[in-house]
Amino acid sequence: KAGVTQTPRYLIKTRGQQVTLSCSPISGHRSVSWYQQTPGQGLQFLFEYFSETQRNKGNFPGRFSGRQFSNSRSEMNVSTLELGDSALYLCASSTSPTGGTDTQYFGPGTRLTVL
Amino acid sequence: KQEVTQIPAALSVPEGENLVLNCSFTDSAIYNLQWFRQDPGKGLTSLLLIQSSQREQTSGRLNASLDKSSGRSTLYIAASQPGDSATYLCAVRPRETSGSRLTFGEGTQLTVNP
């Protein structure tokens, strides 16, 4: 079974631009979560989508948004990029059954650099 | 609010040594705890998942324990090898939030010297 894939793997943008990152979950997984990883803040939760609906949202400004499609693929968008948005963006997928018994599987990440 | 702490932040050991990584969390109301490995610049690889009703899980040279009442987990690595060098992260899935949200510790950076 193919793992979680993320595209692109690397991105360089300038301040003020916007960017869209994509995540394809493991086949059969309906939950997709996004995390931002920086040296100073560690791994921080952005949001989670399940069956095309946002189920959880972290403490990030409205410039960060996402969506999920009917095939469970997810995209996240960051508008008006700031230098502090430079980070590794990771997505994770799971089957998300009730009771919280599932394992989270992570993709390789997208490295975003904002100049 | 759930907080996760990992000690030590960094650890350097000679090859062959057995070692223990520690993880503590402030709220025992969790669904599960998961240990991950991260190589530099890469994504996270799941190592072990312990459900809240379990005390330990084993996979090869790895053994993870969970003491939910005291808010602690340990990851034991037997006979360490240079290939074990990586950052190890623990994460809990709190019951206070619905869905699959994880709360992560800062990680322990492990170096195994040949």
Side-chain angles (χ1 to χ4, degrees), chain B:
Chain B
K1 180 189 168 189
Q2 179 74 265
E3 292 183 359
V4 180
T5 304
Q6 291 187 245
I7 295 173
L11 182 63
S12 181
V13 300
E15 181 177 4
E17 192 161 298
N18 301 326
L19 57 101
V20 174
L21 307 181
N22 297 291
C23 172
S24 61
F25 47 96
T26 55
D27 188 342
S28 61
I30 63 172
Y31 283 115
N32 58 51
L33 183 146
Q34 199 166 348
W35 282 94
F36 295 90
R37 167 190 173 134
Q38 186 175 32
D39 294 289
K42 308 286 187 179
L44 276 61
T45 300
S46 177
L47 297 174
L48 290 165
L49 173 77
I50 311 178
Q51 303 297 348
S52 61
S53 58
Q54 298 175 322
R55 295 301 297 259
E56 65 178 320
Q57 282 287 333
T58 298
S59 176
R61 295 183 293 109
L62 305 179
N63 176 276
S65 68
L66 174 64
D67 184 343
K68 203 174 60 166
S69 61
S70 67
R72 293 181 182 177
S73 176
T74 61
L75 179 67
Y76 175 82
I77 302 177
S80 59
Q81 304 170 356
D84 295 330
S85 297
T87 296
Y88 291 80
L89 295 145
C90 75
V92 298
R93 184 168 166 185
R95 286 185 180 270
E96 64 182 354
T97 57
S98 61
S100 302
R101 177 175 184 162
L102 297 176
T103 301
F104 281 87
E106 292 291 326
T108 294
Q109 186 173 356
L110 173 65
T111 302
V112 181
N113 302 299

Side-chain angles (χ1 to χ4, degrees), chain A residues 20-67:
Chain A
T20 300
L21 312 181
S22 180
C23 172
S24 292
I26 293 172
S27 177
H29 286 193
R30 298 165 63 192
S31 167
V32 174
S33 300
W34 289 89
Y35 293 83
Q36 181 196 65
Q37 186 177 32
T38 59
Q41 299 295 320
L43 272 152
Q44 293 190 291
F45 174 80
L46 281 155
F47 29 65
E48 180 199 0
Y49 286 87
F50 180 81
S51 293
E52 301 180 65
T53 301
Q54 187 179 87
R55 186 157 71 171
N56 268 306
K57 190 176 190 307
N59 295 323
F60 279 81
R63 300 185 297 107
F64 292 81
S65 63
R67 60 178 175 168

Side-chain angles (χ1 to χ4, degrees), chain A residues 60-75:
Chain A
F60 279 81
R63 300 185 297 107
F64 292 81
S65 63
R67 60 178 175 168
Q68 186 179 35
F69 302 95
S70 59
N71 61 358
S72 293
R73 189 177 71 86
S74 177
E75 289 181 347

